[in-house]
Amino acid sequence: MPVPKLEHLEWDTPMYRLAVEQLDGIAERIGLDENIWCRLRAPQRAHVVSFPFRRDDYSTVETVYGYRVQHLTTMGPTKGGIRYDCGVNLGEVTALAIWMSWKCAIMGLPFGGAKGGVRIDPNQLTRTELQRITRRYTSEIIDVIGPDRDIPAPDLGTDMQVMAWIMDTYSQQRGHAVPGVVTGKPVEIGGSLGREEATGRGVITCALEACRHLGIQFADSRVIIQGYGNVGATAAHIAVELGAQVVGISDFSTGIYDSRGLDLKRVDEWIAEHRFLEGYSEGDEVSNPELLTMPCDILIPAAIQNQIHERNADALHCKILVEGANGPTSMEADRILADRGVTVIPDILANAGGVTVSYFEWVQAAQQFMWTEDEVNQRLISLMQRAYRDVLEVAEREHVDLRTAALMRAVIRIREAKRRRGIFP
Ligand code: NAD
């Protein structure tokens, strides 16, 4: 059977196309069996839910849409974050679930990819509204999640508090505490030390490996980070601890740039008081698109997808692009950056630190045994370094860029697992 045309698929969106085009780009190179190729392009299971949501004023009731996609159940339970954003749709969640499968395979974790999302703007909701939406969404997907089935985690617009509400809702229905149903939850209810910082720490571990390979001094480098949330802010702080200068940051409200380096302590104080960067008076105010093209050595997109494309890839100044966000770079931009000699560390490697420590958290829940923060961080760093070197080894052997190499490693691993398991019935 030929590989189907994308426009015939219900979940066809620009982000889904990016995920599929990346897969298609390596399928022939590795001689991927056509049936496995077709299967990997589609979700194994997709759940679409809609439910009523009552605002705090108690008179407005809106209908909200939510999704949970499980891409691949071959490798173990499925694993992936839950995103709250107004752009969430079935195609976006499917693309993110596909990338989760590749990430888990690159890191050697016993999971397939999943992702969930609710189409809302979390910035417009009160805490009580956020809690109500979270509990109702959880109850809508309760039959498809579980510690041995599918384990959510935080993503864009969600955090450890949201995970705590999911864990509580699930546990109430089961009649006992089930900490293993989510990862990225607070330490008080079974979360892992080091999980909150894990994605940012993994991003910087990859940047350090790239610097070592390219002969660049990380400690002398200038770093720009788009998106000062969980991933971006952690990466910024670790970069500064290691001696680099963070010269630019942004959130959805605005960006700031200061060639002398930003004072992150003052930034954090401002955000703690005002929630967003807008109005921060130090440095120059720049827009999000401008920030990406300001002078730096290392650029870390850590906000949303589709930020670096054919229209701005030529204007980037960085030597290394580390994808903290999922899907920030288009295929055309990849080609332009490769021609310009910019090293791109792909999302499926660069931001895999989060799912890696989520795996540690899940293991700790199963064993009912807690690791120290130092143990978590050291194991994370050593797994990230090993994954980086494995991917680099493929890239050098096959004369391909890091994204192609990472995809090749991931898909070959999954193909072997699928062949071993065979076809039911
Ligand atoms: P977050 O919600 O904590 O932070 C997101 C940041 O991006 C915020 O500063 C927000 O203001 C900013 N932002 C949102 N929309 C924007 C826009 N349109 N333009 C510019 N900035 C915008 O989210 P996060 O958990 O840090 O996730 C960020 C990215 O990293 C996402 O792409 C996510 O999928 C990816 N990621 C997160 C994790 C994790 O463990 N949290 C793991 C892997 C990948």
Side-chain angles (χ1 to χ4, degrees):
M1 196 182 85
V3 177
K5 287 201 184 334
L6 293 180
E7 48 270 25
H8 297 155
L9 301 173
E10 293 85 341
W11 46 86
D12 177 24
T13 65
M15 200 157 156
Y16 172 71
R17 276 190 180 229
L18 175 61
V20 167
E21 281 165 13
Q22 290 172 349
L23 170 65
D24 292 353
I26 60 112
E28 272 171 39
R29 191 186 280 274
I30 63 169
L32 187 60
D33 328 41
E34 215 163 72
N35 72 316
I36 296 180
W37 186 357
C38 283
R39 287 278 298 101
L40 292 180
R41 284 165 131 236
Q44 183 158 346
R45 298 171 185 154
H47 303 270
V48 182
V49 299
S50 65
F51 52 89
F53 155 58
R54 197 191 293 279
R55 288 270 179 182
D56 281 348
D57 64 17
Y58 249 72
S59 62
T60 321
V61 178
E62 292 162 32
T63 298
V64 171
Y65 301 96
Y67 307 87
R68 185 73 189 169
V69 167
Q70 297 162 351
H71 173 240
L72 174 76
T73 62
T74 309
M75 319 297 285
T78 49
K79 184 99 193 69
I82 289 177
R83 170 173 284 207
Y84 287 176
D85 185 72
C86 13
V88 164
N89 57 46
L90 183 57
E92 177 173 312
V93 176
T94 302
L96 290 162
I98 292 174
W99 286 326
M100 283 305 298
S101 291
W102 308 158
K103 263 177 238 187
C104 294
I106 290 167
M107 298 307 296
L109 309 179
F111 299 126
K115 206 78 178 191
V118 181
R119 195 187 304 163
I120 45 159
D121 182 354
N123 298 320
Q124 304 296 326
L125 299 177
T126 65
R127 188 181 156 91
T128 47
E129 289 173 338
L130 213 52
Q131 176 167 181
R132 274 204 297 286
I133 287 210
T134 301
R135 288 188 182 279
R136 179 63 190 249
Y137 168 66
T138 307
S139 74
E140 293 293 338
I141 62 164
I142 205 153
D143 289 334
V144 301
I145 59 172
D148 301 319
R149 186 170 284 191
D150 180 12
I151 308 125
D155 190 69
L156 189 74
T158 58
D159 58 10
M160 62 163 74
Q161 181 56 66
V162 172
M163 294 307 115
W165 291 326
I166 296 176
M167 181 266 190
D168 184 67
T169 307
Y170 187 88
S171 300
Q172 294 297 342
Q173 295 305 313
R174 294 290 175 264
H176 57 94
V178 188
V181 66
V182 286
T183 57
K185 56 195 172 289
V187 173
E188 296 79 8
I189 54 169
S192 176
L193 295 166
R195 171 60 184 91
E196 216 186 351
E197 303 81 20
T199 310
R201 191 176 301 284
V203 163
I204 296 298
T205 304
C206 286
L208 283 165
E209 286 300 305
C211 282
R212 198 168 296 147
H213 181 237
L214 298 169
I216 295 170
Q217 278 294 332
F218 182 82
D220 294 338
S221 63
R222 295 159 306 159
V223 182
I224 289 181
I225 302 179
Q226 184 195 41
Y228 196 72
N230 172 289
V231 179
T234 307
H237 281 277
I238 298 175
V240 168
E241 273 166 33
L242 296 173
Q245 256 190 342
V246 173
V247 292
I249 56 169
S250 70
D251 66 7
F252 88 99
S253 70
T254 190
I256 45 171
Y257 183 87
D258 188 338
S259 58
R260 296 161 302 171
L262 293 162
D263 182 342
L264 296 185
K265 192 161 170 282
R266 293 173 77 96
V267 170
D268 291 342
E269 283 165 3
W270 173 269
I271 289 180
E273 196 177 335
H274 303 274
R275 199 169 169 193
F276 306 116
L277 270 178
E278 195 170 25
Y280 186 75
S281 56
E282 286 171 31
D284 299 325
E285 185 169 1
V286 289
S287 69
N288 260 292
E290 281 165 349
L291 182 78
L292 300 173
T293 61
M294 300 300 283
C296 69
D297 304 297
I298 300 173
L299 176 63
I300 305 178
I304 53 164
Q305 60 275 10
N306 194 23
Q307 296 301 292
I308 299 154
H309 35 69
E310 58 191 337
R311 298 179 302 286
N312 65 3
D314 259 329
L316 265 49
H317 287 282
C318 60
K319 302 185 188 85
I320 303 172
L321 175 70
V322 196
E323 295 184 334
N326 284 306
T329 312
S330 73
M331 300 273 284
E332 295 79 14
D334 256 348
R335 284 188 276 273
I336 295 168
L337 294 171
D339 286 347
R340 295 186 48 216
V342 176
T343 297
V344 178
I345 309 177
D347 45 9
I348 52 174
L349 171 64
N351 69 33
V355 69
T356 303
V357 176
S358 275
Y359 165 63
F360 296 164
E361 183 174 328
W362 180 75
V363 167
Q364 291 172 78
Q367 295 182 329
Q368 308 199 7
F369 181 75
M370 301 308 282
W371 303 356
T372 66
E373 188 165 358
D374 209 37
E375 269 175 299
V376 170
N377 291 344
Q378 285 317 313
R379 284 179 202 234
L380 167 65
I381 290 169
S382 84
L383 282 188
M384 291 296 305
Q385 288 174 333
R386 195 183 70 193
Y388 189 94
R389 288 168 196 169
D390 288 346
V391 169
L392 183 63
E393 191 259 319
V394 176
E396 290 183 336
R397 191 183 62 226
E398 302 287 332
H399 307 290
V400 293
D401 61 18
L402 292 174
R403 190 185 316 278
T404 308
L407 277 160
M408 286 170 69
R409 256 190 82 78
V411 177
I412 287 172
R413 190 186 177 104
I414 291 168
R415 174 182 69 191
E416 296 316 309
K418 279 199 167 292
R419 283 180 177 170
R420 289 276 183 196
R421 283 192 58 164
I423 296 174
F424 172 83

